[in-house]
Amino acid sequence: MVYSMFPFYFSFDMAIITGSCLWSLALYLAFASLREKVINGLERWFNFAEQYLYTSEEEFERTRKGRESQNAFLASLMSIIPFFIFGILTNYLVQISFGKSWDISMGILGAIACGVYALGRQDSQGREE
């Protein structure tokens, strides 16, 4: 697919984008403990950075609950970025290893396998508690 904006031409290969997104999903599901660490780290950093925006301690404490909820949401959204980067790299490695015709197929296979793994991990954690 080619997009043209007067002097520039952008070409996007949908197979690369699709394969990268599928691998990102697979990695996001497979590495739940890393995902939680990234989310918690981002949330702590957002809360720490936001302290300097307030000059009044009363105003800071009054809006704490709403800000912390917003920061948790933003941290959850931002945690996708490292997995997307590693998904692009994984898709690139699959293309080099198996050829360009396998990137979507392997991405689907990886996403399904990691989804089943995530469900099994949640089920086993629920039985321990």
Side-chain angles (χ1 to χ4, degrees), residues 15-59:
I16 292 173
I17 294 171
T18 305
S20 298
C21 289
L22 286 167
W23 277 111
S24 300
L25 174 64
L27 295 172
Y28 191 80
L29 292 172
F31 297 108
S33 61
L34 178 63
R35 178 181 67 216
E36 293 301 320
K37 287 179 186 177
V38 169
I39 290 172
N40 290 336
L42 285 171
E43 190 175 350
R44 275 195 320 266
W45 186 80
F46 286 153
N47 289 333
F48 173 76
E50 204 167 44
Q51 288 176 350
Y52 296 106
L53 296 176
Y54 290 89
T55 56
S56 167
E57 184 70 30
E58 296 83 29
E59 181 69 19

Side-chain angles (χ1 to χ4, degrees), residues 13-107:
D13 187 2
M14 291 301 165
I16 292 173
I17 294 171
T18 305
S20 298
C21 289
L22 286 167
W23 277 111
S24 300
L25 174 64
L27 295 172
Y28 191 80
L29 292 172
F31 297 108
S33 61
L34 178 63
R35 178 181 67 216
E36 293 301 320
K37 287 179 186 177
V38 169
I39 290 172
N40 290 336
L42 285 171
E43 190 175 350
R44 275 195 320 266
W45 186 80
F46 286 153
N47 289 333
F48 173 76
E50 204 167 44
Q51 288 176 350
Y52 296 106
L53 296 176
Y54 290 89
T55 56
S56 167
E57 184 70 30
E58 296 83 29
E59 181 69 19
F60 178 75
E61 290 299 324
R62 186 179 69 79
T63 60
R64 177 184 291 264
K65 185 176 180 183
R67 283 181 299 100
E68 287 180 349
S69 297
Q70 181 182 5
N71 289 340
F73 174 71
L74 290 174
S76 179
L77 282 178
M78 297 294 288
S79 70
I80 297 169
I81 293 172
F83 290 98
F84 189 66
I85 292 169
F86 286 118
I88 291 170
L89 291 174
T90 306
N91 188 56
Y92 180 70
L93 291 174
V94 167
Q95 281 186 356
I96 289 174
S97 302
F98 296 107
K100 195 168 184 170
S101 63
W102 282 91
D103 54 354
I104 294 177
S105 300
M106 293 290 286

